[in-house]
Amino acid sequence: VNVDDLNLEDFIKSSAEETLGLAETKEPETKENCIVIVNEEAISSFMLAIRSQLSCAMEYLQYPYLNYGDKIGNINFTLDPFLPAMSESSAWTPEGMPAQKCLMIKHGKVVNQIIDNRFGQYLGKKPNGVTGNMVLETGSIRYKDFFMQIKEPVLEIIQFSSLLVDEQKLTWSSEIKFAKQYNPDGSVTLIKGGVVSGDIRENFKTCVLSLESAVVNFPGNQFKESKGYVGPMRMMIRDGVSVAGR
């Protein structure tokens, strides 16, 4: 969407690291509960699923949805249509209503819904024009401090083969294309293969969000919807993740 989104330096660095490490990777061990670290691309996909359940359309269609008072970890989540040069920025909703910025989840508690004109009328709810980019409040711990006092292996997913997120079940899964396993003795094992899966509700209960922020700014195409995200650069997930490997 803009030149800053390219971030070529990090892209080249991570691509080179992945390519050089392919010859010495191992398949992960099978674990029922594994600590993993994911980047902003994965976090934005999780938040996209959460945002979909905040829409009153899901309530009308009798799909799973997030209602007022429901809990999602301890996060603060806002939709903002007024951020400059972002893919989800607009003065208007798709129906032509004036766009509104809105705090959706406060300290983990759902406080608002996305109520469009059509489904709002069906449900007898007043349309609010809420739309925009996903803004997730960052945490208080720097990424480098995630690795202090490691007592068990921590798996950082550098690249998923194809991250699939179920917006109705709020679950996700993917084969691991490339990852690093940080061991308690200070060594690092390069990982490839195996399948990792998680439950988003469980993931956010005890997760650690990085102090550093990142931007995902994808305009969308015929295969994927647009995605505008500003929030933590990394997320350490301590519950609700399993790995199937060797």
Side-chain angles (χ1 to χ4, degrees):
V1 177
N2 62 34
V3 174
D4 292 338
D5 295 332
L6 294 174
N7 197 6
L8 288 176
E9 184 177 350
D10 286 349
F11 172 76
I12 293 171
K13 180 180 177 181
S14 62
S15 298
E17 182 180 53
E18 179 181 338
T19 303
L20 292 171
L22 290 177
E24 50 183 296
T25 58
K26 296 182 179 179
E27 191 174 355
E29 295 184 3
T30 297
K31 293 187 70 175
E32 284 295 322
N33 195 45
C34 181
I35 299 177
V36 302
I37 297 173
V38 296
N39 62 17
E40 66 272 17
E41 287 285 350
I43 303 170
S44 66
S45 294
F46 301 161
M47 297 311 300
L48 200 62
I50 290 173
R51 187 181 75 176
S52 75
Q53 290 210 8
L54 289 169
S55 171
C56 74
M58 303 294 278
E59 177 182 357
Y60 176 79
L61 296 170
Q62 298 186 357
Y63 292 151
Y65 71 98
L66 290 169
N67 206 350
Y68 296 91
D70 287 348
K71 292 284 292 182
I72 293 286
N74 192 35
I75 62 174
N76 291 309
F77 178 57
T78 300
L79 291 179
D80 189 346
F82 306 121
L83 298 177
M86 290 289 290
S87 61
E88 295 289 322
S89 292
S90 174
W92 313 96
T93 70
E95 294 178 314
M97 296 176 60
Q100 301 293 331
K101 176 181 176 180
C102 187
L103 176 65
M104 307 302 295
I105 302 175
K106 182 178 181 180
H107 302 311
K109 183 179 179 180
V110 175
V111 293
N112 279 299
Q113 274 188 319
I114 303 168
I115 305 176
D116 61 16
N117 186 55
R118 176 188 174 192
F119 290 101
Q121 288 190 39
Y122 292 163
L123 293 168
K125 296 183 177 184
K126 183 179 179 180
N128 56 20
V130 171
T131 187
N133 304 283
M134 303 176 290
V135 181
L136 178 62
E137 186 175 271
T138 59
S140 58
I141 300 177
R142 293 191 178 277
Y143 164 64
K144 66 178 181 180
D145 295 332
F146 281 8
F147 305 98
M148 295 179 64
Q149 300 179 338
I150 290 178
K151 297 181 180 179
E152 61 180 284
V154 175
L155 193 65
E156 180 172 17
I157 312 296
I158 308 298
Q159 185 70 46
F160 291 101
S161 288
S162 179
L163 178 60
L164 301 175
V165 180
D166 190 318
E167 294 185 346
Q168 293 191 31
K169 296 180 180 179
L170 291 185
T171 57
W172 57 272
S173 64
S174 177
E175 185 178 357
I176 299 171
K177 186 175 182 181
F178 185 60
K180 290 181 179 180
Q181 179 176 291
Y182 299 92
N183 304 306
D185 61 4
S187 63
V188 177
T189 305
L190 300 181
I191 300 293
K192 179 178 174 62
V195 175
V196 60
S197 57
D199 182 310
I200 294 174
R201 285 180 179 271
E202 292 296 319
N203 297 163
F204 275 101
K205 283 182 179 179
T206 58
C207 73
V208 178
L209 300 173
S210 71
L211 177 62
E212 299 92 337
S213 63
V215 173
V216 176
N217 208 5
F218 178 68
N221 55 33
Q222 64 268 40
F223 302 108
K224 294 183 179 179
E225 61 183 304
S226 61
K227 186 194 296 184
Y229 165 87
V230 179
M233 180 184 74
R234 294 289 187 275
M235 173 183 180
M236 177 182 277
I237 303 173
R238 299 186 288 187
D239 286 293
V241 176
S242 61
V243 176
R246 56 187 169 88

